[in-house]
Amino acid sequence: MGFDLAQYGLIAIGESLVILTGGIDLSVGALLGTSVILMSWFNVRAGLPPVLAILVTLLIAGAVGLVHGLAVTRLKMPPFVVTLVTYTVAQGVTLAITSGTSITGIGGTFSDLGQTYVAQVPLPLVVFLVVAVAAWFFLERTYAGRQVYAVGGNPEAARLAGIRGDRRVVSMYVTSSLLSAFAGIMVLGRMGVGSASGVGVGWELSAIAAAVIGGVSLTGGQGRILGIVAGTVLLELINNGLTTLQINANYTNIVLGCVLGLAITADRLRARSVAGRG
């Protein structure tokens, strides 16, 4: 469970940071899958050492996040459209690089990162917990973190207060893309091959569901990291429960969709209730 929790949790935190600004990132799953392929290709086909392959992939992922942020803030493009384009392009890039086949022969460093235990705890889970604590500290204990809430809650009021909202929005999109690539490192280390089949597909729904179940408002400005972690754990327990009960895997997405629908409905009812009291 620890390995799955880590990879889903990382993209859930990245997704949540974007949602807090009032945006959405539909590319987190596809970008994770593309990161797995890019790291494999750089290592095996281009001959780069694993560490350098990881750094180059992180730079590419960060650049993608920067494009997202600039398109949303400077060009005023809807986040849904911008990240949907990346979702489509990322899947195309994955298939173009691999021609639908897996890349084998990756360096052992990836396996070390994806399968190592630290005091009986999987290293990916340790990374997830560290990222969660860092995100909590940023949002709850720093001025910049409070600005993220302000920008998502009321952009105009934040602007009048002198907050550079565009800078906060861009930084959250960059962080989301970087966390997708980080999750890709864990996935590649666990699989041992650069697989082009199904890696990351649909994971953006799990990330959004974890965020909303954890109390993050889809309109932005509301949500806590502890809730996001709890939402991720709940989804993982549901997945494990379905597996334990030997329920057909084809029904997993049905259950996930229903859970996401209920979470969104609860979010809307909560927002209406708050607006009514206001």
Side-chain angles (χ1 to χ4, degrees):
M1 176 178 174
F3 293 101
D4 290 335
L5 179 62
Q7 61 197 33
Y8 287 123
L10 286 174
I11 61 174
I13 290 176
E15 183 71 61
S16 300
L17 293 175
V18 170
I19 295 176
L20 285 175
T21 67
I24 194 77
D25 189 350
L26 298 180
S27 70
V28 290
L31 190 56
L32 181 152
T34 302
S35 296
V36 168
I37 296 302
L38 287 176
M39 283 182 282
S40 303
W41 188 89
F42 284 132
N43 179 225
V44 177
R45 305 282 173 79
L48 296 181
V51 174
L52 189 54
I54 290 173
L55 290 177
V56 174
T57 302
L58 288 174
L59 285 175
I60 294 174
V64 171
L66 180 61
V67 171
H68 288 167
L70 293 177
V72 170
T73 57
R74 300 290 178 85
L75 301 180
K76 305 302 179 184
M77 295 176 65
F80 176 91
V81 174
V82 174
T83 56
L84 182 59
V85 169
T86 300
Y87 171 91
T88 306
V89 171
Q91 289 190 325
V93 168
T94 297
L95 293 175
I97 292 176
T98 63
S99 299
T101 60
S102 298
I103 300 176
T104 59
I106 64 172
T109 301
F110 292 103
S111 297
D112 293 339
L113 292 173
Q115 301 180 22
T116 298
Y117 284 79
V118 178
Q120 306 301 316
V121 179
L123 178 59
L125 184 57
V126 174
V127 173
F128 167 56
L129 294 175
V130 170
V131 170
V133 171
W136 172 85
F137 183 83
F138 169 74
L139 291 174
E140 303 287 344
R141 293 292 183 267
T142 68
Y143 180 60
R146 291 191 290 272
Q147 287 182 336
V148 170
Y149 283 114
V151 170
N154 192 326
E156 182 60 21
R159 185 186 67 82
L160 294 175
I163 296 175
R164 294 185 175 181
D166 288 359
R167 181 176 297 180
R168 298 292 168 247
V169 171
V170 171
S171 64
M172 293 302 99
Y173 277 100
V174 171
T175 302
S176 177
S177 295
L178 287 174
L179 287 177
S180 292
F182 265 110
I185 299 172
M186 308 305 170
V187 172
L188 179 57
R190 187 178 180 185
M191 295 190 306
V193 296
S195 175
S197 59
V199 177
V201 175
W203 290 17
E204 62 281 344
L205 295 180
S206 297
I208 295 171
V212 177
I213 291 172
V216 177
S217 173
L218 287 173
T219 57
Q222 182 179 346
R224 295 291 183 269
I225 290 296
L226 183 60
I228 297 162
V229 173
T232 305
V233 171
L234 176 60
L235 284 183
E236 189 57 30
L237 288 174
I238 292 174
N239 284 329
N240 285 345
L242 293 175
T243 302
T244 301
L245 294 174
Q246 297 183 338
I247 294 176
N248 192 315
N250 294 327
Y251 292 101
T252 302
N253 283 339
I254 296 176
V255 175
L256 175 60
C258 291
V259 171
L260 179 57
L262 290 173
I264 292 175
T265 301
D267 174 61
R268 291 295 80 216
L269 292 175
R270 182 174 61 241
R272 290 180 61 181
S273 176
V274 172
R277 291 198 299 269

